[in-house]
C-alpha cells in the first residue's frame, strides 16, 4: 500500500487532479474501516461527496506480524467533479491490494481471504461490508457495480433512502398447526358436485370423503372421465346392503316418530304383497289410538286382515296363528327419540314379537341434525333399516342418506306422496344416489 499518512489519524490527504482543465479537490481519508472513514468524508466534503477509490490493506507491524487492517478512500465533493476525477485503477495498486486482501484473516468481513480476484468485485465486497456496518445507505434498486467508480458513487448518493434498521428477530413461536382441511385440488366438476351435495343437506365432511374417493380412486379407471356417475356409485357403496331374508313367515315392523308415515308404509307394503304376491298378507297394529280404523280403511278392500293388539302378548298370539309363508306387516305407535320410557316399553314389545325386520320411517324433510338425532335415538328399538318417507316433498335427500351412511344402516324403502296405492318402493340405492348427485 502506498504510504499516505498514519493509520488511525483519519487525517485527509489532499491530491489535486485535473481533468479537462478543471481541478478537482480529491482527498484521501484513512481509517480502520469504511464505517470509520465515511462519516468524516461526508463531514468534510458534504453529503453528496463521491468516493472514487477505496483501498483495503494492512499497515504497520513487524516482519509481517501485528499488522493492522486499514482502508483508504479517495473522495471528491459532488458527483460531477467525481466523474471527472475518476482515473483507471492502478494495476500495481490492485496487485498489492489484492495480495494484502488475500493474506488478511478470514474473520474480517471487509477484506477476507475469500475476497474475489477482480477490482470490481473487491469494490463490491467493500460496499457490502459497508452496508453491513450501517455506515452508508445504498440507493434502492441501484445496479450492481459494473465499474468500480459508479458502485462507489452509489454509496454516497444524496438521494439514497436510509436503510431501515433490521427488524428484530421474531420471537420463536410454534409452527402453525397444519390445516386439517386443505382445499382439495379437484377438477371443477368435482367441486361442482361437492357444492351440490352439500347444498342438498349432506354433511360437508362426508361429501368431501365421497367425492375425494371418486376423484382419487375411481376417476383413474374411468375411460370417459364422467365424474357424476362415479360419485353416485361411491355414494351407493357407502350404504350397507340389506340383510338377506330367511324363507318362511316374515314379520316386518315400522317404527318412528309421530306422523312420520308409519301407517302409510304398512298399508302400502301390505297392498303391494296382497295384490301382486302369492303369499298370505296380514297387518298388525300395536296399541293403535283408532283401534286400527285407518289401516283397515286402506287395506281391507284388498282382503288384508288387520289385527289391533293392545300388548305384545296379544300381538304374538295373532302372528302365531298365521300361515308359515305369511307376510305380516306391523304398525307401531309413534315414539319420540327423547322419550326414553316409551322407547324402552316399545323395544320390549318388539323383542317379544321377534320382528324379522325393523324399519325406521325417516322423513326426508328432516335436517341432517334432526335426522341423525332420530336415527341414534331410536336405535334401541332394534332398527335395522331406514324407510325414507316424504321423499316427494324435498330435493334435499342428503340429510337422510347421510344419516343412513353415518348410522351404517341400509335404506330399505322410499315413500312418496300421500296416497295409498303405490307410493312405496324398495330402495334402489344407485338410483337414489344418482338422484342426489344430479
Ligand atoms: N307427501 C307425503 N305424505 C305422506 C307420506 N307418507 C305419509 N304421508 C302423509 O303424512 C300423514 C301421516 O302419515 P301416517 O302414515 O299416518 O303417519 P304415522 O307415522 O302413522 O303417524 P302416527 O300414527 O300419528 O304416528 C298422512 O297424511 C299421510 O298421507 C309421503 O311419503 N309423502
Ligand atoms: Mg299411524
Amino acid at each position: 500500500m502506498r504510504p499516505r499518512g498514519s493509520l488511525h489519524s483519519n487525517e485527509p490527504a489532499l491530491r489535486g487532479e485535473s481533468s479537462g482543465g478543471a481541478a478537482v479537490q480529491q482527498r484521501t481519508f484513512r481509517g480502520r474501516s469504511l464505517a470509520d472513514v465515511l462519516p468524516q468524508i461526508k463531514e468534510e466534503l458534504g453529503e453528496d461527496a463521491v468516493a472514487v477509490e477505496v483501498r483495503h490493506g494492512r499497515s504497520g507491524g513487524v516482519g509481517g506480524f501485528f499488522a493492522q487492517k486499514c482502508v483508504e478512500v479517495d473522495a471528491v465533493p459532488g458527483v460531477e467533479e467525481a466523474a471527472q476525477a475518476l482515473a483507471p485503477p492502478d494495476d500495481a495498486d490492485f496487485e498489492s491490494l489484492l495480495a494484502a486482501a488475500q493474506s488478511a484473516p478470514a474473520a474480517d468481513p471487509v477484506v477476507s481471504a475469500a475476497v474475489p480476484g477482480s477490482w470490481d468485485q473487491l469494490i463490491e465486497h467493500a460496499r457490502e461490508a459497508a452496508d453491513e456496518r450501517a455506515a452508508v445507505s445504498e440507493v434502492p434498486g441501484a445496479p450492481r457495480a459494473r465499474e468500480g467508480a459508479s458502485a462507489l458513487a452509489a454509496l454516497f448518493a444524496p438521494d439514497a433512502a436510509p436503510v431501515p434498521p433490521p427488524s428484530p428477530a421474531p420471537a420463536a413461536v410454534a409452527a402453525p398447526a397444519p390445516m386439517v382441511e386443505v382445499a382439495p385440488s379437484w377438477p371443477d366438476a368435482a367441486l361442482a358436485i361437492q357444492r351440490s351435495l352439500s347444498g342438498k343437506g349432506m354433511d360437508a365432511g362426508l361429501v368431501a370423503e365421497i367425492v375425494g374417493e371418486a376423484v382419487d380412486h375411481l376417476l383413474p379407471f374411468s375411460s370417459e372421465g364422467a365424474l357424476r356417475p362415479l360419485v353416485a356409485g361411491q355414494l351407493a357403496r357407502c350404504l350397507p346392503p340389506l340383510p338377506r331374508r330367511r324363507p318362511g313367515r316374515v314379520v316386518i315392523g315400522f317404527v318412528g316418530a309421530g306422523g312420520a308415515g308409519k301407517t302409510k308404509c304398512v298399508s302400502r307394503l301390505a297392498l303391494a304383497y296382497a295384490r301382486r304376491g302369492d303369499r298370505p298378507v296380514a297387518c298388525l297394529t300395536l296399541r293403535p289410538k283408532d283401534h286400527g280404523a285407518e289401516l283397515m280403511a286402506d287395506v281391507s278392500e284388498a282382503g288384508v286382515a288387520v289385527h289391533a293388539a293392545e300388548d305384545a302378548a296379544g300381538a304374538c298370539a295373532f302372528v302365531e296363528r298365521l300361515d308359515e309363508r305369511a307376510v305380516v306387516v306391523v304398525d307401531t305407535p309413534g315414539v319420540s327419540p327423547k322419550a326414553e320410557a316409551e322407547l324402552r316399553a316399545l323395544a320390549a314389545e318388539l323383542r317379544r314379537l321377534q320382528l324379522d325386520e325393523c324399519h325406521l320411517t325417516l322423513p326426508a324433510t328432516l335436517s341432517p341434525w334432526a335426522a341423525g338425532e332420530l336415527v341414534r335415538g331410536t336405535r334401541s328399538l332394534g332398527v335395522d333399516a331406514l324407510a325414507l318417507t316424504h321423499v316427494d316433498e324435498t330435493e334435499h335427500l342428503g340429510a337422510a342418506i347421510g344419516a343412513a351412511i353415518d348410522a351404517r344402516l341400509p335404506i330399505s324403502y322410499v315413500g312418496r306422496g300421500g296416497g295409498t296405492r303405490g307410493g312405496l318402493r324398495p330402495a334402489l340405492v344407485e338410483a337414489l344416489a344418482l338422484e342426489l348427485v344430479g
Side-chain angles (χ1 to χ4, degrees), residues 82 156 177 390:
F156 294 90
H390 296 265

Side-chain angles (χ1 to χ4, degrees), residues 245 248-254 266 269-274 277-284 304-305 318-319 322-330 356-357 413:
R245 290 193 170 97
R249 191 167 54 209
V250 57
V251 183
I252 304 168
F254 286 85
V266 169
L269 198 67
L271 284 173
Y273 277 109
D278 64 348
R279 296 164 66 141
V281 181
C283 287
L284 172 67
V304 175
F318 173 73
V319 171
L322 294 172
D323 187 281
E324 279 301 311
R325 295 178 59 247
V327 175
V328 186
V329 192
V330 182
D356 294 294
E357 302 170 19
Y413 295 100

Side-chain angles (χ1 to χ4, degrees), residues 301-386:
E301 50 100 13
V304 175
V306 174
H307 179 74
E310 288 306 314
D311 54 29
C316 289
F318 173 73
V319 171
E320 281 164 12
R321 291 198 299 272
L322 294 172
D323 187 281
E324 279 301 311
R325 295 178 59 247
V327 175
V328 186
V329 192
V330 182
D331 197 5
T332 61
V335 67
S336 160
K338 299 279 185 192
E340 293 181 11
E342 288 176 30
L343 281 168
R344 269 198 303 275
L346 183 58
E349 288 171 317
L350 296 177
R351 273 196 300 276
R352 281 197 64 183
L353 199 51
Q354 295 187 329
L355 293 179
D356 294 294
E357 302 170 19
C358 181
H359 303 259
L360 171 68
T361 48
L362 178 68
T365 48
L366 292 184
S367 72
W369 304 276
E373 195 173 41
L374 179 66
V375 172
R376 287 189 299 274
T378 53
R379 209 60 199 255
S380 61
L381 299 176
V383 170
D384 42 33
L386 301 182

Side-chain angles (χ1 to χ4, degrees), residues 30-272:
R30 231 173 292 152
R32 281 181 181 278
S33 66
L34 283 172
D36 290 335
V37 177
L38 296 186
Q40 190 177 355
I41 296 173
K42 286 189 176 190
E43 191 183 318
E44 302 274 336
L45 301 181
E47 281 297 312
D48 57 349
V50 175
V52 294
E53 191 174 343
V54 174
R55 293 174 292 278
H56 294 266
R58 301 178 79 80
S59 175
V62 179
F65 294 96
F66 311 115
Q68 302 207 36
K69 286 168 285 186
C70 66
V71 60
E72 280 187 349
V73 178
D74 293 340
V76 295
V79 176
E80 292 298 321
E81 294 86 339
Q84 294 168 4
L86 290 176
D90 181 326
D91 282 343
D93 279 352
F94 171 63
E95 294 299 333
S96 60
L97 280 166
L98 187 60
Q102 289 175 340
S103 65
D108 186 331
V110 176
V111 181
S112 74
V115 162
S118 79
W119 183 239
D120 284 350
Q121 287 167 324
L122 187 64
I123 291 169
E124 181 73 358
H125 197 73
R127 190 178 71 160
E128 287 168 2
D131 282 346
E132 283 174 21
R133 291 169 186 230
V136 293
S137 302
E138 187 175 8
V139 177
R144 287 273 163 169
R146 289 269 177 255
E147 296 178 15
S150 59
L152 285 164
L155 293 175
F156 294 90
D159 57 348
V163 176
S167 49
V173 290
M179 285 177 68
V180 175
E181 212 165 320
V182 181
S185 55
W186 289 342
D188 287 349
L191 295 171
I193 294 170
Q194 182 191 29
R195 278 193 295 274
S196 163
L197 286 176
S198 296
K200 287 179 177 171
M202 186 167 274
D203 172 76
L206 182 60
V207 170
E209 198 180 306
I210 290 169
V211 177
E213 181 77 13
V215 169
D216 292 345
H217 301 293
L218 299 179
L219 203 54
F221 299 94
S222 163
S223 53
E224 295 181 5
L227 196 56
R228 283 182 191 279
L230 298 179
V231 173
Q234 178 58 26
L235 184 54
R237 269 192 294 281
C238 289
L239 288 162
L242 281 164
R244 291 165 63 191
R245 290 193 170 97
R246 291 180 298 149
R249 191 167 54 209
V250 57
V251 183
I252 304 168
F254 286 85
V255 299
K262 299 178 294 299
T263 303
K264 274 291 176 254
C265 283
V266 169
S267 59
R268 287 164 168 174
L269 198 67
L271 284 173

